[in-house]
């Protein structure tokens, strides 16, 4: 525990949904839900307007539609979210060399290591100015928590939501934590929380009063010891700048179970290529290829193959994933497919060509064996199974995802409001502009094409001198230590 609140936790507010509202003037102040839109889709993020209607992340999209039928339902645009996240992380990196990203929209920062804060007043001032900088650069809001430990800084940022700052003064931790639910503490999920409730412990105060020995008896030595320390407000975990990823993976859930083997293999190969793209963007390579298959009955199978050395060759990964698929029975139908790479290493070119050659040789050998085992056919040739065909609705949804960017030769930049029955409806508007008009086109209109997202802020404030020359905060006067401020 630190004697000053110099650990900062930033959590962007309803990040995906807020980014969509900032990009689309017609959605500002309205309920927005971002996630999978098919029958099996899940909510990734809901705007605060949608949350008031009961929608929350991880909820099935079908349930969200019942609660908020008039909300805007959009497919995620990760290229936009990553671009905004990079802007935010760059600002954090200017504050301190010790920045620990937890996700695209969340990170810890050690302000003391950056020399920008050493007491309550300077920490609060830095937090307020960070929030101002984020809004001016990205157009979005973030909530900031400040405390003497990571655990408390995260709790403070939750208290500050939305669009606020909360600071926990060192020495007040136990008093603050005492009335909170045990679920507030890191590592206490639904199962552990229910187990503690049955033992009569529902608040952090109850855990502290129970004592370490009782908690060890209830949840085990390792967890019980840590739980007791957290109940006392003790957390010595440092902010770690480098968090090595253990794997890179991608997966897709299909609206309708896939039965055609050719289609399943094509999807696996497509996922393998996407996985390698992510691997390369992180300048990494991996040694083990993993295939994940969730079948029609929700049973999930994983298969893996370890290569001779790390690779980021798409041919190697694609063919390894295809070989793994051969060992999986998909006759009943497939609802989810995933391809991942584990055993990550720094980017290396060593032995890639040999691995590619090995993969091709194995594939050729398997094809020869399959040809030898294939029964003879008449001169008319074999009768091929008719592959599954996507409906017009599915084709439109795949080509024109709701919420994604488009450009029209006449009308300019816009975004897809919806598609179906051979039509796509587009609203033509840009970030920072007025609410745009809506036009409907045929899905094969030659003048309409997909486009890249536009920046949320056209001319952001220059923060290249951050933090040596910080602009004055626009959030109003700085309140006394221990309080909470919102604009």
């Amino acid at each position: 525990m630190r004697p000053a609140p110099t650990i900062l936790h930033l959590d962007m507010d309803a990040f995906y949904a807020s980014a969509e509202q900032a990009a689309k003037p017609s959605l500002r102040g309205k309920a927005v839900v971002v996630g999978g839109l098919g029958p099996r889709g899940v909510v990734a993020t809901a705007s605060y307007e949608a949350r008031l209607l009961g929608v929350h992340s991880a909820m099935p999209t079908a349930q969200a539609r019942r609660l908020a039928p008039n909300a805007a339902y959009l497919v995620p645009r990760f290229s936009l979210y990553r671009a905004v996240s990079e802007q935010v992380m760059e600002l954090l990196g200017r504050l301190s060399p010790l920045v620990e990203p937890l996700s695209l929209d969340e990170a810890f920062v050690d302000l003391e290591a950056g020399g920008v804060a050493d007491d309550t007043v300077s920490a609060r001032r830095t937090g307020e100015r960070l929030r101002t900088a984020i809004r001016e650069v990205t157009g979005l809001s973030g909530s900031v928590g400040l405390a003497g430990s990571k655990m408390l800084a995260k709790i403070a940022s939750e208290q500050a939501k939305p669009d606020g700052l909360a600071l926990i003064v060192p020495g007040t931790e136990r008093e603050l934590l005492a009335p909170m639910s045990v679920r507030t503490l890191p590592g206490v999920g639904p199962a552990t929380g229910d187990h503690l409730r049955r033992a009569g412990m529902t608040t952090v105060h109850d855990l502290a009063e129970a004592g370490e020995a009782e908690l060890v008896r209830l949840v085990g030595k390792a967890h019980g010891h840590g739980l007791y320390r957290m109940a006392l407000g003790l957390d010595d975990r440092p902010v770690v700048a480098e968090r090595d990823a253990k794997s890179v993976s991608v997966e897709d859930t299909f609206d309708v179970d896939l039965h055609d083997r050719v289609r399943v293999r094509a999807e696996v190969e497509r996922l393998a290529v996407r996985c390698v793209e992510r691997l390369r963007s992180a300048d990494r390579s991996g040694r083990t290829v993993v295939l994940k298959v969730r079948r029609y009955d929700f049973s999930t199978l994983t298969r893996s193959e370890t290569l001779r050395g790390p690779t980021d060759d798409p041919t190697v990964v694609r063919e390894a994933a295809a070989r793994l698929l051969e060992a999986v029975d998909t006759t009943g139908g497939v609802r989810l497919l995933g391809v991942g790479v584990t055993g990550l290493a720094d980017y290396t070119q060593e032995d890639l060509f040999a691995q590619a050659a090995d993969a091709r040789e194995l594939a050729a050998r398997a094809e020869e064996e399959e040809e030898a085992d294939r029964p003879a056919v008449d001169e008319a040739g074999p009768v091929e199974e008719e592959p599954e065909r996507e409906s017009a609705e599915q084709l439109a949804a795949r080509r024109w995802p709701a919420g994604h960017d488009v450009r029209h030769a006449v009308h300019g930049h816009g975004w897809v409001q919806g598609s179906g029955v051979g039509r796509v409806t587009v609203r033509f508007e840009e970030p920072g502009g007025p609410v745009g008009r809506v036009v409907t086109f045929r899905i094969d209109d030659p003048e309409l094409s997909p486009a890249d997202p536009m920046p949320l802020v056209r001319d952001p404030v220059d923060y290249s001198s951050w933090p040596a020359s910080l602009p004055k905060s626009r959030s109003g006067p700085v309140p006394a230590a221990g309080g909470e401020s919102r604009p």
Side-chain angles (χ1 to χ4, degrees), residues 299-323:
S299 62
T300 302
L301 303 176
T302 57
R303 299 288 185 268
S304 64
E305 177 180 318
T306 299
L307 308 171
R308 286 180 13 180
T311 183
D312 69 347
D313 188 311
T315 300
V316 174
V317 176
R318 184 176 65 246
E319 294 181 355
R323 288 194 299 274

Side-chain angles (χ1 to χ4, degrees), residues 272-302:
V273 172
R274 283 176 52 198
C275 181
V276 170
E277 289 173 353
R278 286 195 181 183
L279 197 66
R280 287 184 167 182
S281 68
D283 290 331
R284 307 300 294 275
S285 59
R287 183 171 182 144
T288 301
V289 178
V290 180
L291 174 71
K292 177 180 177 182
V293 179
R294 180 165 297 150
R295 299 189 291 189
Y296 69 98
D297 58 357
F298 288 90
S299 62
T300 302
L301 303 176
T302 57

